[in-house]
Every structure is written in structure tokens, then in C-alpha cells.
Amino acid sequence: MERPLRGLPKTALAIIVTIGLAMLAGCATRPSPEVLTPVHLSEPARSETAPDKVSVLVATNRAPDSVRGGFSNAWAEKLTYEQYAFSVPPGRKDTAITYPKAKPDPQRQFAVVERRQLPRDAFVQQALASVQPDGTIGIFVHGYNYSYQEALYRTAQIAADAKIPGAPILFSWPSAASVAGYVADRDAALSSRSELDSLVTSLSASAKVKRIILFGHSMGGFLVMETVRELKLQHRDAVIGKLAVVLAAPDIDVDVFRSQLNDIGPMPIPISLLVSKDDQALVASSFIAGERPRVGRLDIDDPVIEETALKARLRVIDITSIKTSDGLGHDRYASLAKFGAQLASFESGRRSTPGDLGALVFDAAGAAVASPFRLAGRVVRSQ
């Protein structure tokens, strides 16, 4: 008997696989733009622990949604800048985000308590006020299938768990926020290079900024690499010299990544890849792309990967041991935050030593603090 799926076009099969994986991740209702509306929270009772407070700055090239008050998946001609203050529930055990209801419970739910739109100059001033004492500032670039509000709340969760001083910056590009929108998202990511370039350049212009951690997740990693490539081709070495690029579960074709590295050349602060062999979202991505391998699933036990990482001056860090909450193994980066004093914090931005490069393993059960992260875990060279 012929199998039911035999004869289907590869694109149709890819969509079926992707939807199936998304269903495995859970059936929770996705948050509407209403979760962006600030709420008033009463003071906690004496028996309750006070919620955490975090701030997030946002630069987005999504078009505003004038009806619902958020941002759509349409592309805007210019960046919009916003500032948020969040109440984050205390004592959380994992990275799951509970969105606010009509009457939020600050002990269980995240909530926006302040929101305001900023002109560009005021945004830059707020960003510079958030620069850490060592001159570091962080930018998070979300991945495929994210709405504006989902990316914003995820940034708040990371900031709270990592206890980042100041306000991290979210760069939100116009993802379709749809499982079937993979190709549309890739186009949107490519169209956002100039806007991310503009954001990075405006921050690097300040002498106060010594290092910009450019943290891209999934397809956001593709956008980050394309932006850095543009900077290099434009000979913007002063900007590149301040970048610490971290790619978490990067959804990038291996050969495309090799081409990007050839154009970019060695970075003053080596690029770090956070990879895991069991990332099922990247399995689906690979299938959609004609079964071509993705960078986020590199196997660091492969001697070729070890040799390539050393040659290209990369840190390839296996984080498979980190707990995942999405059922796909694609969101480990969010759990990683609690292991560090700050998001993807590098030791003083110093130039690398040979021991920092190559294939490495992060052991969540360890207790040592070692390069390249200041983590409550152990980083060891693979054997």
C-alpha cells in the first residue's frame, strides 16, 4: 500500500513537518497586542515576594498597528523606538512566560507597567544610560515566527533571569509570526539589515560604548551575520571592533555561513555559536531548505567541526545539557540566561587565547566558572 505522504511536493511535506513540530511545542494561545497596554498593580501582600522590575528598550522596523496598539508584520520605512518597564513574577522555576489577563496577578504573570514611545535621540540617550560599567550594551535579535509582543516579553524574561543592569535592547524585525511564514520571514530578515546596521552604528559612535553584544537567535542569527557582513564590506572596522557576536541556535545554511565568514574575516572578539544536536526546529528548517544542514545543529564531536572552528576563530559551544521548555530544543538560549551575570557576558572583551576557541561544551551540572562565559557551570574543551 502506498504511504499517504508519498507524492506530495517537498514544500508541502516541509510545511506538514513544521506544523507538526509546532504542535508538539504546545497549544497555548498566542498573546495579542493588548498585553502591551500598561497595567496598574497593587502592592504585594506581606506574605508575598515583591515582583522583579526590568526595563527594555526596543527598536523596530515593523509597521505600527493603529487598531490594536501594537506592531504588525508589515515592513515600515523607518525605525520606531519604545521603552518598557515590566513586572516579572518572583521565584520562577523555568523560562515559561505567563501573559497578563484583565486583572494581572503579579505573583504569576508578567505585565507591562510602563510604556512610552521615544524619538531617536532620546532612545540613544536611554541606551547610553544603560551601558554597563565595563562599557557593554546588549542587543537581542529574535528569530522566526515571533510577534512583537512575544519577542518583547522574551527579552524581559532574559533580562530578569540574567540580572542585566540597565535596559537590554530588542531589535524586532517584521516576522510574520506564522508557522507557515518561513520564506516570508527570511525575506523580512534580509530586508532589515540596514535598520539593524543603523542601530548598531548609532550606539557604537559613543566613546562610552566599548562593546556591543549582538545576540541573534535562530533566523535572527542570519540577520546578525548579514548585518556584520555589510559593515565589513563597507569597511566599517571601527564598528566591527566593538561587536561581540553571539548566535544561539542559528538558522543559517552551513555553506552560507562559510561564505559570510569569508567576507567578514576574523573578528577582534571571536564569534560564538550556541548549538545543540537535538534541535528539532532546525531539523524542520533543514528539511524546508532541501535537507541542507543548519549551523545551529553542528556536532562538536566531529573532528572536522573542531578543526574548522579553530581555523575560523570561532567558539562553538554545545548547550544540549541546558533544559528546554518549548518541546523542540530550540529555546535553550532563554534558559542559559540564569547561568550568567549578564546575557552572553564575555570576560572584559579581551582578545581571545587559543583555549577560548574551537569546540566547547557547557555542562549545566558543573560548578566552575571559566571562559568564555562567566557562568555557574563548566566550559571544557571537547575531547
Side-chain angles (χ1 to χ4, degrees), residues 243-293:
L243 296 182
V245 173
V246 184
L247 308 178
D251 187 358
I252 308 175
D253 178 280
V254 168
D255 288 332
V256 170
F257 185 65
R258 184 181 293 113
S259 176
Q260 291 169 328
L261 289 176
N262 286 339
D263 287 340
I264 295 169
M267 296 278 289
I269 303 175
I271 296 171
S272 288
L273 311 179
L274 308 181
V275 304
S276 52
K277 295 184 284 288
D278 63 351
D279 188 324
Q280 297 305 304
L282 292 182
V283 170
S285 171
S286 176
F287 194 87
I288 292 171
E291 301 182 12
R292 294 184 59 83

Side-chain angles (χ1 to χ4, degrees), residues 331-375:
D331 71 346
R332 286 188 171 93
Y333 76 98
S335 298
L336 187 67
K338 66 183 178 183
F339 290 99
Q342 51 185 307
L343 178 62
S345 171
F346 291 94
E347 293 184 310
S348 69
R350 59 177 170 73
R351 300 306 188 255
S352 63
T353 65
D356 292 329
L357 303 175
L360 307 130
V361 177
F362 173 67
D363 180 4
V369 178
S371 297
F373 293 118
R374 291 193 197 117
L375 295 172

Side-chain angles (χ1 to χ4, degrees), residues 25 27 39 53 78 111 133 148 169 186 220 225 235-236 240 248 253 285 316 382:
C27 302
V39 299
K53 303 289 186 182
K78 62 180 182 178
Y148 179 83
I169 299 169
R186 190 169 180 85
M225 286 296 291
H235 306 290
R236 311 268 288 286
I240 291 176
D253 178 280
S285 171
V316 184
S382 65

Side-chain angles (χ1 to χ4, degrees), residues 312-344:
R313 292 178 48 80
L314 302 174
R315 298 178 175 118
V316 184
I317 305 162
D318 190 314
I319 60 170
T320 304
S321 65
I322 302 295
K323 182 180 178 181
T324 180
S325 63
D326 67 353
L328 302 177
H330 197 54
D331 71 346
R332 286 188 171 93
Y333 76 98
S335 298
L336 187 67
K338 66 183 178 183
F339 290 99
Q342 51 185 307
L343 178 62

Side-chain angles (χ1 to χ4, degrees), residues 194-240:
S194 295
E195 286 79 10
L196 181 55
D197 177 324
S198 174
L199 173 62
V200 170
T201 300
S202 64
L203 297 176
S204 68
S206 171
K208 186 178 181 180
V209 175
K210 308 299 183 185
R211 180 180 60 212
I212 300 172
I213 296 174
L214 196 49
F215 192 105
H217 172 237
S218 188
M219 197 176 285
F222 173 66
L223 170 54
V224 166
M225 286 296 291
E226 282 294 298
T227 301
V228 176
R229 177 178 174 272
E230 278 200 348
L231 289 167
K232 184 64 177 181
L233 294 178
Q234 295 165 5
H235 306 290
R236 311 268 288 286
D237 292 343
V239 179
I240 291 176

